[in-house]
């Protein structure tokens, strides 16, 4: 039994199944991992889903890490819940990604997938109920598990339950696209928590507006920051130094505009590339004087819309290179590989950081680059990023949809005097590290444990 429990779709460890049937455990990082490490391993438990065949085989063999319980959920149920609802409905609603004339379509197939989403959440609720001590603190993570608080409350009314949403929360008009009974089930699931957490006041108010007369619970804001010491230690490893030397050679001493994203529709990579093209057109003095380093990790490639978006990013970068490039200058260096050392090297090299999502719960890249940039960087940041609420005073603010405004902001950023850029970077880094991951987690845990049973 455990007195502190965390529940999330992805856990702190995954297993790779070898050709000989062996299992190789690979541990992850992040705020939850570092936060839970501050709690005694004997008193804590992380409940997560078995995501791949290696994870499922580990469950079947009874292999596991101390303090971790993996749930072997039926693959069809998981696919319907994860891809069919969490990533194709809830994610699209919260990020306002629907092509309204064509989607969403809530038909019998949607109802079947929602039933799987409910079952997936119930599996977590039952596992948590079975593992929790009397009055334990349970911290549930994100939109994948939005029904768990209500389901768990029905099973174990003695528990202290928190839920944190890492994405934005949909505006009432967007959430009203859901069928009325599904919308009410979603909101009541969330309202089963004693405390709800969001990255920004905007997302917190949006939830309260959606809940309306259905009920109230405690809602708080915890803007996740970065751990400066850990990030800098990662950024100065030998493998990053090697990537940095390669990027310096490829950029040839030119100024750099850096972005690092998953090829996620909400990240707005295509408009960012259009803005860079417009910069080179309207300010030709920057031709052969700047390179755009774009890291775009493939994301959710099992969804056709994401595969098409990834291909479009590469195609547009190729068009810009063909239009402006010379034998000695490639305007865009795009990487569509999951290469974290290269991203950290790009952080260190950044003169300008471009972060222009349509909507984003936080966006830690906007916080990480100022912490690591060697010469200081100017941050071009859209209002759709949750990080904008903390960083807006020292960022160059843009409308995510306004390509011309973004192009002009890039020009201002590239033209910024070094002293101003250094001062802004210092203040951006201070704001970015105000609530590092372990403190972020423990603040929520302390608030939850401080509630009356």
């Amino acid at each position: 039994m455990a007195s502190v429990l965390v529940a999330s779709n992805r856990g702190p460890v995954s297993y790779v199944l070898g050709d000989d049937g062996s299992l190789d455990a690979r541990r992850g990082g992040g705020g939850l991992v570092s936060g839970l490490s501050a709690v005694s391993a004997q008193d804590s438990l992380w409940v997560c889903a078995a995501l791949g065949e290696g994870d499922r085989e580990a469950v079947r063999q009874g292999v596991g890490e101390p303090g971790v319980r993996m749930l072997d959920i039926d693959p069809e149920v998981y696919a319907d819940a994860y891809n069919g609802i969490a990533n194709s409905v809830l994610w699209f609603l919260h990020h306002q990604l629907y092509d309204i004339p064509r989607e969403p379509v809530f038909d019998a197939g949607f109802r079947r997938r929602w039933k799987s989403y409910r079952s997936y959440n119930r599996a977590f609720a039952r596992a948590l109920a079975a593992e929790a001590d009397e009055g334990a603190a349970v911290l549930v993570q994100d939109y994948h598990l939005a029904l768990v608080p209500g389901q768990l409350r029905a099973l174990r009314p003695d528990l202290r339950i928190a839920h944190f949403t890492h994405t934005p929360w949909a505006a009432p008009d967007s959430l009203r696209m859901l069928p009325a009974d599904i919308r009410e089930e979603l909101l009541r699931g969330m309202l089963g928590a004693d405390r709800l957490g969001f990255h920004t006041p905007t997302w917190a108010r949006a939830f309260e507006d959606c809940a309306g007369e259905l009920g109230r619970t405690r809602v708080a804001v915890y803007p996740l920051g970065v751990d400066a010491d850990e990030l800098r230690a990662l950024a100065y490893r030998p493998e990053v130094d090697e990537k940095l030397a390669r990027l310096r050679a490829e950029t040839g001493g030119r100024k750099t505009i850096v972005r690092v994203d998953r090829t996620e529709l909400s990240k707005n990579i295509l408009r960012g590339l259009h803005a860079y093209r417009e910069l080179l057109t309207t300010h030709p003095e920057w031709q052969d004087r700047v390179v755009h380093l774009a890291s775009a990790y493939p994301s959710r490639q099992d969804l056709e819309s994401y595969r098409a978006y990834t291909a479009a990013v590469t195609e547009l970068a190729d068009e810009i290179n063909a239009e402006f490039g010379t034998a000695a200058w490639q305007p865009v260096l795009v990487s569509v590989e999951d290469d974290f050392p290269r991203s950290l090297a790009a952080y260190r090299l950044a003169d300008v950081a471009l972060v222009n999502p349509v909507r984003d719960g936080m966006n830690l890249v906007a916080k990480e680059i100022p912490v690591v940039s060697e010469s200081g960087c100017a941050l071009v940041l859209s209002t759709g990023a949750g990080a904008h609420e903390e960083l807006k005073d020292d960022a160059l603010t843009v409308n995510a949809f306004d390509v011309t405004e973004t192009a002009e902001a890039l020009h201002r950023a590239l033209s910024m005097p070094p002293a101003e850029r250094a001062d802004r970077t210092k203040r951006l880094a201070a704001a970015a590290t105000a609530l590092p991951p372990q403190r972020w987690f423990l603040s929520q845990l302390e608030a939850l444990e401080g509630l009356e049973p």
Side-chain angles (χ1 to χ4, degrees):
M1 305 292 279
S3 61
V4 177
L5 300 93
V6 167
S8 63
N9 176 67
R10 183 180 299 276
V13 64
S14 61
Y15 293 90
V16 177
L17 185 61
D19 293 336
D20 60 355
S22 62
L23 290 167
D24 179 24
R26 300 183 180 179
R27 296 197 68 83
L32 291 173
V33 173
S34 62
L36 200 57
S37 69
V39 180
S40 168
Q42 291 181 324
D43 297 330
S44 65
L45 179 70
W46 194 317
V47 178
C48 57
L51 300 185
E53 185 54 37
D55 290 353
R56 287 189 285 273
E57 183 61 27
V59 174
R60 286 192 287 267
Q61 292 185 19
V63 173
E65 297 284 307
V68 178
R69 177 178 171 185
M70 279 188 174
L71 305 181
D72 187 7
I73 295 166
D74 179 89
E76 289 187 10
V77 171
Y78 180 83
D80 278 351
Y82 183 73
N83 284 327
I85 297 297
N87 288 341
S88 294
V89 176
L90 299 181
W91 180 275
F92 273 60
L93 284 170
H94 290 324
H95 291 86
Q96 298 180 351
L97 295 176
Y98 276 125
D99 179 6
I100 297 301
R102 295 179 176 85
E103 54 185 9
V105 176
F106 297 129
D107 55 9
F110 162 77
R111 294 277 176 174
R112 174 183 58 77
R113 291 187 290 275
W114 183 263
K115 183 178 179 181
S116 293
Y117 180 76
R118 183 187 298 129
S119 297
Y120 165 76
N121 275 251
R122 187 176 294 116
F124 275 85
R126 287 173 173 165
L128 292 165
E131 299 283 0
D133 283 334
E134 182 75 19
V138 182
L139 297 98
V140 183
Q141 304 299 308
D142 227 357
Y143 62 102
H144 313 89
L145 302 176
L147 303 184
V148 167
Q151 294 172 338
L152 182 57
R153 174 70 60 211
L155 295 170
R156 290 285 304 273
D158 60 295
L159 299 180
R160 297 176 175 91
I161 304 169
H163 185 284
F164 192 91
T165 299
H166 295 263
T167 66
W169 188 268
D173 284 347
S174 295
L175 204 69
R176 275 194 286 269
M177 284 193 284
L178 284 174
D181 60 318
I182 300 296
R183 183 175 69 251
E184 181 174 343
E185 183 178 0
L186 175 67
L187 291 168
R188 289 195 183 281
M190 293 282 287
L191 289 167
D194 296 291
R195 295 184 66 88
L196 295 175
F198 298 88
H199 280 306
T200 74
T202 298
W203 311 142
R205 285 193 299 269
F207 175 82
E208 291 177 318
D209 290 344
C210 287
E213 299 303 316
L214 276 181
R216 293 289 181 203
T217 190
R218 300 171 183 84
V219 177
V221 173
Y222 298 94
L224 177 62
V226 300
D227 184 322
D229 292 339
E230 180 181 7
L231 184 61
R232 288 176 182 136
L234 290 171
Y236 283 86
R237 292 174 300 169
E239 57 265 42
V240 178
D241 292 337
E242 292 173 11
K243 298 283 185 178
L244 180 61
R246 191 174 306 164
L247 287 178
R248 287 193 195 281
E250 290 174 338
T251 56
R254 298 174 179 88
K255 285 186 175 289
T256 58
I257 299 171
V258 171
R259 75 173 306 139
V260 175
D261 308 277
R262 292 177 295 109
T263 51
E264 159 55 52
L265 307 183
S266 65
K267 299 298 184 183
N268 209 25
I269 302 170
L270 290 175
R271 289 191 187 91
L273 286 168
H274 282 302
Y276 181 61
R277 171 186 256 167
E278 188 161 320
L279 168 75
L280 298 178
T281 301
T282 59
H283 294 282
E285 65 269 25
W286 288 114
Q287 292 182 23
D288 202 21
R289 292 179 55 210
V290 64
V291 175
H292 187 11
L293 297 174
S295 294
Y297 304 158
S299 175
R300 298 174 184 164
Q301 296 300 289
D302 46 352
L303 300 177
E304 193 281 329
S305 58
Y306 283 77
R307 292 195 299 273
Y309 191 77
T310 302
V313 167
T314 303
E315 289 167 10
L316 182 52
D318 289 343
E319 288 178 17
I320 295 170
N321 286 332
E323 181 177 355
F324 296 100
T326 67
W329 172 53
Q330 185 172 327
V332 184
L333 294 176
V334 64
S335 171
V336 292
E337 307 216 345
D338 189 350
D339 188 344
F340 187 52
R342 182 187 186 276
S343 296
L344 290 172
Y347 284 6
R348 288 171 58 181
L349 195 59
D351 295 301
V352 177
L354 175 58
V355 181
N356 66 320
V358 174
R359 278 167 73 87
D360 215 336
M362 175 51 71
N363 196 299
L364 287 178
V365 171
K367 294 185 170 185
E368 290 170 344
I369 296 181
V371 171
V372 173
S373 174
E374 291 185 354
S375 302
C377 71
L379 174 62
V380 176
L381 183 64
S382 68
T383 57
H388 183 263
E389 297 198 23
E390 295 174 88
L391 306 182
K392 60 187 176 184
D393 289 345
D394 288 292
L396 302 181
T397 295
V398 296
N399 174 344
F401 303 97
D402 191 335
V403 168
T404 296
E405 182 185 42
T406 304
E408 288 304 310
L410 291 173
H411 172 63
R412 284 181 57 204
L414 289 166
S415 306
M416 188 177 290
E420 179 185 353
R421 192 174 70 182
D423 287 344
R424 285 179 183 250
T425 302
K426 183 176 180 180
R427 292 191 294 268
L428 287 168
T433 55
L435 192 63
Q438 188 175 94
R439 187 69 251 158
W440 171 83
F441 175 84
L442 292 176
S443 294
Q444 296 173 70
L445 177 60
E446 289 162 5
L448 188 60
E449 290 182 329
L451 296 177
E452 289 295 324

